[in-house]
Amino acid sequence: YHRPANDFVADFIGRGNLIQGQATATDSIEHHGMSLQCAAALQPGQTYRFYLRPEDIRLLDPLETTGNSLLATVDKQEFLGAFTLVTLTPLQTGMPALVAQFSSNYLAGRPIEVGSRVRIGLPRERLHPMQEESTVQGALEIMHSLQGALCAVSGMDACTLQPSAGAQGEFTGMQ
């Protein structure tokens, strides 16, 4: 869940924020003019893609200027009972909006309103690079071949490898 191998896996099991940048050191990337630290070992000069879960974004003290912190405008709040989804637009030019998820208890002492500016933190330990798309093609080819073989054996025109319900569906959701 916290370390998806690729976009498909990341989107299949939850929401997330795609962060892409070029490595400037073995532990940081440049993302829209901002240096972001990460916990992974990187190759300087190579482009990386990271997927940050909404619940990993933190609200910080407005004056805190630690690494991986930035100012953002609150564009939207969606109260969903136990938590609130918040759409944030970073003040850095060109940075895409981020979706954060805060529990109601977490927001109890931090009232935020649409239009307000907040400082957010992107924890370095939650920024893990996704697998390069070209390296997952072999696994996709195997799955495609398996689908063809299952159709041939069963006599069906089409089949899916995705579990739809029951124990298989629950197990997939937990992975």
Side-chain angles (χ1 to χ4, degrees):
Y1 179 79
H2 288 288
R3 294 183 184 197
N6 56 48
D7 290 354
F8 173 77
V9 173
D11 285 337
F12 185 74
I13 59 173
R15 288 188 170 115
N17 299 288
L18 180 64
I19 296 173
Q20 183 171 319
Q22 187 169 21
T24 55
T26 58
D27 67 346
S28 64
I29 63 164
E30 183 80 17
H31 177 68
H32 293 279
M34 180 181 176
S35 180
L36 293 174
Q37 302 291 311
C38 68
L42 307 175
Q43 283 288 100
Q46 186 173 339
T47 299
Y48 289 91
R49 297 159 42 100
F50 299 84
Y51 213 73
L52 182 66
R53 296 288 178 195
E55 63 269 20
D56 292 332
I57 295 175
R58 298 285 171 245
L59 286 175
L60 303 175
D61 182 277
L63 300 177
E64 191 173 340
T65 57
T66 60
N68 290 9
S69 72
L70 56 116
L71 288 172
T73 302
V74 177
D75 290 331
K76 180 181 175 184
Q77 288 190 80
E78 188 177 349
F79 178 71
L80 299 172
F83 62 91
T84 300
L85 284 180
V86 180
T87 303
L88 302 157
T89 299
L91 297 184
Q92 277 79 359
T93 307
M95 263 183 106
L98 299 169
V99 176
Q101 177 180 309
F102 302 119
S103 75
S104 297
N105 291 338
Y106 184 77
L107 287 178
R110 300 170 176 88
I112 58 174
E113 296 178 14
V114 172
S116 65
R117 285 190 179 169
V118 295
R119 180 165 294 279
I120 58 172
L122 312 178
R124 71 182 301 276
E125 64 276 4
R126 293 296 189 184
L127 289 173
H128 297 281
M130 290 194 289
Q131 188 173 344
E132 213 27 68
E133 284 189 35
S134 62
T135 64
V136 298
Q137 296 306 309
L140 293 175
E141 181 181 350
I142 290 169
M143 291 190 299
H144 181 73
S145 297
L146 176 60
Q147 271 186 306
L150 289 172
C151 287
V153 169
S154 68
M156 306 280 281
D157 292 332
C159 71
T160 180
L161 299 178
Q162 179 180 345
S164 54
Q168 286 181 323
E170 293 300 319
F171 182 72
T172 301
M174 291 179 1
Q175 293 299 316

